[in-house]
Amino acid sequence: IRYLQYILYPFMIFSTWVHEMCHGLAALLTGGGIKELFVYPDGSGLAYTWTTGENWKRAFVASGGYVGTALLGGILLLFRRTHRGPTIGLIGIACAILLTVAMYVRNGFAIGILIAMALVLLLCTWKLKARLVAYLYSFLAATCSFNAFTTIKQLFAPGQGYVNGNPVYSDAHTVAEYAGGTYIMWATIWMVFAIVMSTIGLLLAFDGRTYKKGQQAQSSGGDYYMYNQDQQVSAPQVHVQSNSEIPLATVVDVTPY
């Protein structure tokens, strides 16, 4: 659906940014670092990182994109029902975007759209009602946790994919080269991990005060109170009847894969 693609486009870019940042964080965890990050209009991205060169470190960095994105998405989903979790989460994401733009992002498209995205998220936490903030937060979390599904074509591609129109090998091919196994094996492992993290985030979410009071009100047939970020109770009260029923590659040691 054409118009739906336009609506989902910012979320695709967000997923790409998270994916590439997870490559960078993996490099930092192995004692390396991040040189540059690129996010392109077609939704692809590159992370230029460096390590001390051991094969296991290169494999760890290459796997960081899908593993880190699924892990982050699952953790974010756990807090979607809490009172201040969505608000704090969106503010944290916006600040992280602005920080990475200042430190690592180097292409004009990414700088422009990521800054705009961060400002919109901050504006949403300020102006939107708590329920809408929670919906936006949950959608961003799901975008992360389902990253392996939204890029399944690239993940299981037998040959080269494309980043900004240039051919590169997928993360799964890179890990298979440095850690052994096949690219299908690693792609399958990441897919299963994404399913596990998404399931944990969806089924084991923490029930915050707001959610619990709403559930109690619905079960008792009493008044349901809507909570927002700054107040315990907001008007109006609504009476409820008791019987109603989303990048492709990383670059290690400045060598494209």
Side-chain angles (χ1 to χ4, degrees):
I1 303 176
R2 181 179 179 183
Y3 294 106
L4 184 60
Q5 291 178 337
Y6 295 144
I7 295 173
L8 296 179
Y9 183 74
F11 297 97
M12 179 181 69
I13 297 299
F14 170 76
S15 177
T16 301
W17 169 78
V18 174
H19 183 101
E20 301 308 327
M21 269 308 303
C22 287
H23 283 307
L25 291 174
L28 292 172
L29 288 174
T30 61
I34 308 170
K35 292 183 67 67
E36 296 175 317
L37 290 180
F38 294 86
V39 178
Y40 298 107
D42 62 359
S44 62
L46 281 176
Y48 284 84
T49 66
W50 62 271
T51 69
T52 52
E54 294 91 332
N55 284 349
W56 73 267
K57 291 184 178 181
R58 295 185 177 191
F60 184 79
V61 172
S63 65
Y66 286 106
V67 173
T69 306
L71 180 63
L72 176 64
I75 293 174
L76 291 176
L77 284 173
L78 288 175
F79 294 93
R80 72 185 188 278
R81 293 175 180 170
T82 59
H83 181 55
R84 296 189 181 276
T87 300
I88 295 174
L90 290 185
I91 293 174
I93 290 171
C95 292
I97 290 174
L98 294 175
L99 182 63
T100 57
V101 167
M103 296 180 64
Y104 304 120
V105 178
R106 293 295 177 264
N107 62 316
F109 167 80
I111 291 173
I113 195 168
L114 289 175
I115 290 177
M117 188 180 300
L119 295 178
V120 168
L121 291 178
L122 291 174
L123 183 63
C124 288
T125 61
W126 179 32
K127 290 294 186 180
L128 293 183
K129 293 182 179 180
R131 176 170 292 186
L132 295 178
V133 171
Y135 287 157
L136 176 58
Y137 171 88
S138 299
F139 198 84
L140 287 176
T143 299
C144 292
S145 62
F146 288 107
N147 178 244
F149 297 95
T150 58
T151 59
I152 188 171
K153 182 177 180 181
Q154 295 88 347
L155 186 59
F156 285 93
Q160 291 181 324
Y162 292 89
V163 173
N164 196 35
N166 300 311
V168 295
Y169 284 105
S170 71
D171 294 341
H173 285 88
T174 301
V175 175
E177 177 182 353
Y178 290 114
T182 66
Y183 77 91
I184 293 180
M185 180 190 78
W186 290 107
T188 303
I189 290 173
W190 297 340
M191 181 70 71
V192 171
F193 183 73
I195 293 173
V196 170
M197 291 306 304
S198 299
T199 302
I200 291 174
L202 291 171
L203 298 183
L204 302 180
F206 301 121
D207 292 338
R209 180 180 58 188
T210 304
Y211 183 81
K212 289 180 179 179
K213 286 186 178 293
Q215 292 296 100
Q216 292 172 359
Q218 288 184 23
S219 62
S220 64
D223 288 330
Y224 175 70
Y225 295 88
M226 178 70 79
Y227 286 72
N228 61 24
Q229 301 99 307
D230 303 315
Q231 305 175 38
Q232 280 196 333
V233 182
S234 65
Q237 299 175 358
V238 180
H239 186 74
V240 180
Q241 297 294 332
S242 58
N243 60 348
S244 62
E245 300 293 26
I246 357 225
L248 176 63
T250 184
V251 175
V252 181
D253 294 339
V254 201
T255 305
Y257 297 122

